[in-house]
Amino acid sequence: MIGTVNGDRLWARLMELGRIGEDEQGGVTRFSFTELERQAKEQVASYMSEAGMQVREDAVGNLIGTYVGTDPDAAVVISGSHIDTVLHGGKFDGALGVLAAIEAIHTMHENSIQPKHTIEVVAFTDEEGSRFGFGMIGSRALAGTLKQDNLTQRDEQGVTIAEAMEAAGYVPSQLASAARKSEEIKGYVELHIEQGRVLEQLNQPVGLVTGIAGPLWLQFTLNGQAGHAGATPMNMRRDPLEAATAIFDYIYRETRQFKHAVATVGKLRVLPGGVNVIPGEVQFSLDLRDIDEAQRNELEQRIRNFTDQVCKQQSIEYSIELLQRVPPAPSSPEIMAAIEEAARLNGMELPTLVSGAGHDGMQFHSLCPLGMIFVRSKDGISHNPQEYSSKEDCAAGTQVLYSTLLQLAAVERS
């Protein structure tokens, strides 16, 4: 094998990047199109430059490092992830994938390896969707599926994506220029922390992902009648929170009937919000996922039907808004084969597992072959300050990524 990644350098960069947006409890908050994100991009851009890459940003703010290959006409190989976070998130989600890809290129650069295929490392804009309730902005743009209408989504301050882009120096009307053509890309491979416990239970540091479950995001709004908590008898109330609790119970019970499905009510807003006031309006989100799209669609319809039934029974008006619907994305056989061979060359045999979490790579299922490498997560914790993957596991996963990129970029082994 040509070269070994520098685990110490990778770890030092992870910790350095993790200090941007860090709070007193050790959590990290970096939302898209903010000053903290700009600082993080500048830091990552410096790493890209040190690794011998040309650095640029596209129309939606994707940060792209290019390691030029010997054949300018050959399709490019892409690797990367994101550097935005959830509120009070961890240091590894997304960031590890970006920095691992940079470390792989840095190792090539140090060993004077120039691949046939150009390799691009991308830090995608806003994978999480934490600010606007609409995620994977950068990867959607690269895949050509981001539309101008999507940029009307607003954050909690009422700022649209388009307005935030403009404030950050981008031109929303030019987003189409970020799209890539299928023939331009040989494949995409992403390294990511598992965010679950499978690898830990198997006592394995690295895993091969066979596919990514598709997230469906819905927002429910239930309207009843606000009133005095003491003066309105129970049988005379139109309480949307009572209806919502019945819906919550149904969601959790019904989801357990589907083998791979998971459902999360993550945001809840009760208005007017008084201790002694019957709610007049309830809003809540639903994140529904499954690796089988037909099964996910069936579960969604059952939830919609139950919501309609309960709201009619309790004289509650309701609406359900679709925030995003992303199809599941199976890994391509050719990328999985390259990852398996890369692991074998490094003395590893990887267990296979499914990603329940969504990732930027799922946007490319119709654009190019894709694959993912997982790194073990301690206690399966993610989106949390306690999120952690060991220095040794991060290095092991990055070594597999490095060897995979060597193969995909047509570098001969010695």
Side-chain angles (χ1 to χ4, degrees):
M1 180 56 60
I2 311 170
T4 302
V5 300
N6 187 326
D8 291 334
R9 178 171 58 204
L10 172 64
W11 189 259
R13 287 174 171 174
L14 271 168
M15 296 303 104
E16 185 175 41
L17 182 60
R19 287 192 286 273
I20 300 175
E22 185 177 21
D23 57 37
E24 293 180 356
Q25 289 73 43
V28 180
T29 301
R30 289 195 299 262
F31 287 175
S32 58
F33 308 117
T34 62
E35 178 56 32
L36 285 173
E37 185 200 43
R38 170 52 51 197
Q39 293 175 28
K41 282 184 174 182
E42 290 175 355
Q43 189 66 63
V44 172
S46 72
Y47 300 151
M48 289 176 168
S49 296
E50 291 172 22
M53 286 183 271
Q54 301 170 3
V55 184
R56 65 182 177 89
E57 284 189 63
D58 68 13
V60 297
N62 288 326
L63 181 65
I64 304 170
T66 301
Y67 193 61
V68 179
T70 59
D71 185 350
D73 297 322
V76 302
V77 175
I78 301 178
S79 185
S81 195
H82 62 97
I83 58 173
D84 67 303
T85 72
V86 298
L87 183 67
H88 306 308
K91 293 181 172 68
F92 298 83
D93 178 7
L96 177 60
V98 174
L99 298 183
I102 293 173
E103 176 56 36
I105 300 302
H106 206 147
T107 303
M108 293 183 199
H109 184 58
E110 288 178 331
N111 287 274
S112 301
I113 296 171
Q114 187 177 17
K116 175 183 177 182
H117 295 258
T118 291
I119 303 174
E120 293 182 354
V121 177
V122 184
F124 292 103
T125 295
D126 200 338
E127 188 263 6
E128 295 288 4
S130 298
R131 180 176 178 184
F132 300 101
F134 180 81
M136 303 186 190
I137 292 174
S139 49
R140 290 175 195 266
L142 192 147
T145 58
L146 184 69
K147 306 302 181 185
Q148 288 291 335
D149 288 350
N150 300 138
L151 304 187
T152 60
Q153 292 282 133
R154 296 180 182 273
D155 65 12
E156 292 185 353
Q157 283 68 50
V159 178
T160 67
I161 297 175
E163 290 167 346
M165 289 177 65
E166 289 175 342
Y170 304 105
V171 182
S173 62
Q174 296 179 358
L175 71 84
S177 66
R180 307 291 286 275
K181 297 178 180 178
S182 180
E183 59 268 22
E184 297 174 351
I185 306 174
K186 183 179 181 183
Y188 173 82
V189 58
E190 178 173 351
L191 181 141
H192 205 281
I193 58 171
E194 181 194 346
Q195 301 176 285
R197 300 176 179 174
V198 175
L199 291 176
E200 192 170 59
Q201 290 181 348
L202 295 173
N203 194 29
Q204 294 290 329
V206 185
L208 171 64
V209 179
T210 58
I212 308 170
L216 167 66
W217 290 2
L218 300 173
Q219 179 170 287
F220 292 66
T221 301
L222 278 57
N223 289 288
Q225 178 64 59
H228 193 290
T232 310
M234 296 299 291
N235 63 353
M236 297 179 63
R237 299 186 179 198
R238 293 175 53 230
D239 184 346
L241 187 56
E242 181 180 355
T245 56
I247 296 167
F248 297 160
D249 179 64
Y250 180 84
I251 288 171
Y252 296 134
R253 285 189 291 105
E254 199 65 17
T255 300
R256 288 186 172 90
Q257 307 305 311
F258 292 76
K259 182 178 180 181
H260 295 294
V262 291
T264 303
V265 176
K267 295 179 71 174
L268 176 62
R269 187 166 179 244
V270 181
L271 297 174
V275 173
N276 61 344
V277 181
I278 300 166
E281 179 177 292
V282 172
Q283 288 187 340
F284 63 91
S285 64
L286 173 62
D287 181 316
L288 195 62
R289 304 182 188 222
D290 201 308
I291 59 172
D292 185 321
E293 189 168 17
Q295 291 286 294
R296 188 190 67 182
N297 292 345
E298 170 65 20
L299 178 56
E300 175 199 1
Q301 192 57 52
R302 292 188 190 184
I303 293 169
R304 286 178 178 271
N305 291 344
F306 184 82
T307 299
D308 183 71
Q309 175 187 336
V310 167
C311 288
K312 284 180 177 177
Q313 289 174 347
Q314 301 188 22
S315 299
I316 301 296
E317 297 177 355
Y318 77 93
S319 63
I320 303 175
E321 179 184 0
L322 175 65
L323 300 181
Q324 70 169 350
R325 183 187 298 275
V326 181
S331 297
S332 63
E334 54 265 51
I335 303 294
M336 287 196 292
I339 295 170
E340 287 179 315
E341 174 64 8
R344 187 191 66 78
L345 291 169
N346 287 282
M348 288 184 270
E349 184 174 342
L350 304 185
T352 58
L353 66 166
V354 170
S355 174
H359 301 286
D360 285 306
M362 66 194 313
Q363 296 296 326
F364 308 141
H365 71 285
S366 297
L367 181 70
C368 66
L370 66 92
M372 288 195 72
I373 300 164
F374 268 173
V375 171
R376 175 169 49 191
S377 294
K378 180 174 173 32
D379 297 326
I381 296 172
S382 185
H383 286 186
N384 184 296
Q386 300 304 311
E387 176 181 280
Y388 182 81
S389 292
S390 73
K391 178 180 177 180
E392 294 75 19
D393 287 358
C394 291
T398 302
Q399 186 66 34
V400 174
L401 175 64
Y402 169 70
S403 300
T404 301
L405 292 175
L406 289 179
Q407 291 183 75
L408 296 176
V411 176
E412 293 184 1
R413 297 188 298 270
S414 63

